């Protein structure tokens, strides 16, 4: 079970200190991996403080290139040096800024180069869902990634299904809807020989809906945005997986 916190553009040093102190005072289920994706400025500190409480740090985004004239960007090597072990790839808030499926595939190649695990995010917008095209759309987002040869594909650590209409809106996909998409993803991954890859759900996950989502057979974890900023709520989500 993989339980991941995406802080997005939230948090400062004081927040980080309180967060990991809080994490250390709580008990966490065993047989789970807990990931935290802080803003890049906090990555190094999060990697250190997270290690002390069993949480693994990751970068929210990486650039495909190793270095170069890319103002404001960070390479996989740079975030790895700062302590990242994972990278979020293709979050919908990044795709909304213009990242394409091919960019996401190139980022996974970069992650592999730097020894990072990639957590690739996919998910449809409301119009696609209403046109009944969600499954084809989401599987299409994965195609460029799954077309990569080893060793790039070996760096694929997990996939998060995050319907855009459920992110930060308070509107969660029903467990049945999420399970149906996860089943479709699993079947596609099985064809690629990756049937065991963890499939996370993301989109307004909270302590009170986590159990119903995490008890679905093809939901292997969650990627949590807003609720992950409260360490007690994030811990309750992790514990819900074992209830
Ligand atoms: C996310 O940022 O990936 C996310 C799922 O956000 P939220 O939980 O706030 O919907």
């Amino acid at each position: 079970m993989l339980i991941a916190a995406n802080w997005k553009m939230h948090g400062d040093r004081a927040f980080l200190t309180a967060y990991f102190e809080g994490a250390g005072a709580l008990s966490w289920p065993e047989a789970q991996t807990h990931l935290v994706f802080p803003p890049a400025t906090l990555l190094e500190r999060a990697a250190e403080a997270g290690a002390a409480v069993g949480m693994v740090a990751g970068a929210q985004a990486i650039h495909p290139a190793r270095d170069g004239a890319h103002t404001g960007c960070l390479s996989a090597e740079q975030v790895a040096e700062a302590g990242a072990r994972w990278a979020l790839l293709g979050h919908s808030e990044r795709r909304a800024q213009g990242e394409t499926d091919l960019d996401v595939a190139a980022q996974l190649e970069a992650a592999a180069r730097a020894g990072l695990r990639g957590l690739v995010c996919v998910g449809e917008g409301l119009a696609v869902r209403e046109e009944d095209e969600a499954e084809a759309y989401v599987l299409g987002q994965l195609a460029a990634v799954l077309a990569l040869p080893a060793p790039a594909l070996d760096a694929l650590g997990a996939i998060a299904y995050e319907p855009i209409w459920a992110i930060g809106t308070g509107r969660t996909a029903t467990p049945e809807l999420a399970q149906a998409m996860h089943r479709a993803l699993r079947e596609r991954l099985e064809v690629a020989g990756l049937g065991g890859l963890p499939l996370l759900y993301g989109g307004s996950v909270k302590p009170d809906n986590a159990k119903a989502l995490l008890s679905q057979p093809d939901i292997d974890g969650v990627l949590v945005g807003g609720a992950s900023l409260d360490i007690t709520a994030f811990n309750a989500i992790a514990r819900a997986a074992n209830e």
Side-chain angles (χ1 to χ4, degrees):
M1 192 68 74
L2 206 50
I3 312 289
N6 175 15
W7 292 4
K8 311 192 188 198
M9 201 172 70
H10 296 287
D12 55 17
R13 291 180 188 180
F15 172 85
L16 181 142
T17 302
Y19 193 87
F20 288 108
E21 276 176 13
L26 294 163
S27 74
W28 295 84
E30 289 174 12
Q32 288 186 355
T33 300
H34 303 113
L35 305 180
V36 58
F37 294 91
T41 51
L42 298 174
L43 195 43
E44 197 148 10
R45 285 165 193 263
E48 284 170 19
V53 295
M55 294 177 91
V56 178
Q60 292 182 11
I62 53 173
H63 191 280
R66 190 186 297 269
D67 50 30
H70 304 291
T71 303
C73 300
L74 295 169
S75 71
E77 285 78 4
Q78 288 170 325
V79 299
E81 188 179 42
R85 294 294 166 261
W86 284 72
L88 280 183
L89 309 178
H91 190 281
S92 61
E93 288 155 13
R94 304 282 309 174
R95 290 180 187 264
Q97 306 281 330
E99 281 187 9
T100 66
D101 296 338
L102 285 175
D103 292 331
V104 175
Q107 291 162 11
L108 185 61
E109 288 184 297
R113 200 180 62 219
L116 299 173
R117 313 288 294 151
L119 201 177
V120 170
C121 303
V122 293
E124 80 286 357
L126 192 56
V128 173
R129 164 76 39 194
E130 287 175 347
E131 282 159 20
D132 218 10
E133 298 287 342
E135 189 176 308
Y137 183 88
V138 165
L139 295 180
Q141 285 183 309
L142 261 195
V145 162
L146 295 182
L148 289 172
L153 198 52
D154 299 338
L156 182 58
I159 291 168
Y161 169 56
E162 301 203 305
I164 296 168
W165 44 269
I167 296 180
T169 58
R171 183 175 166 183
T172 320
T174 62
E176 295 73 25
L177 184 153
Q179 164 59 24
M181 185 64 82
H182 280 229
R183 186 69 228 153
L185 284 164
R186 182 85 68 206
E187 285 168 7
R188 178 67 192 85
L189 288 165
E190 278 165 358
V191 173
L194 297 171
L197 204 69
L199 296 178
L200 315 190
Y201 171 77
S204 297
V205 176
K206 307 267 185 295
D208 62 1
N209 59 25
K211 184 180 172 198
L213 289 160
L214 287 164
S215 56
Q216 297 299 313
D218 290 297
I219 299 185
D220 309 314
V222 282
L223 175 55
V224 189
S228 78
L229 295 171
D230 176 344
I231 191 63
T232 308
F234 187 60
N235 176 262
I237 290 167
R239 291 163 73 96
N242 279 16
E243 280 170 8

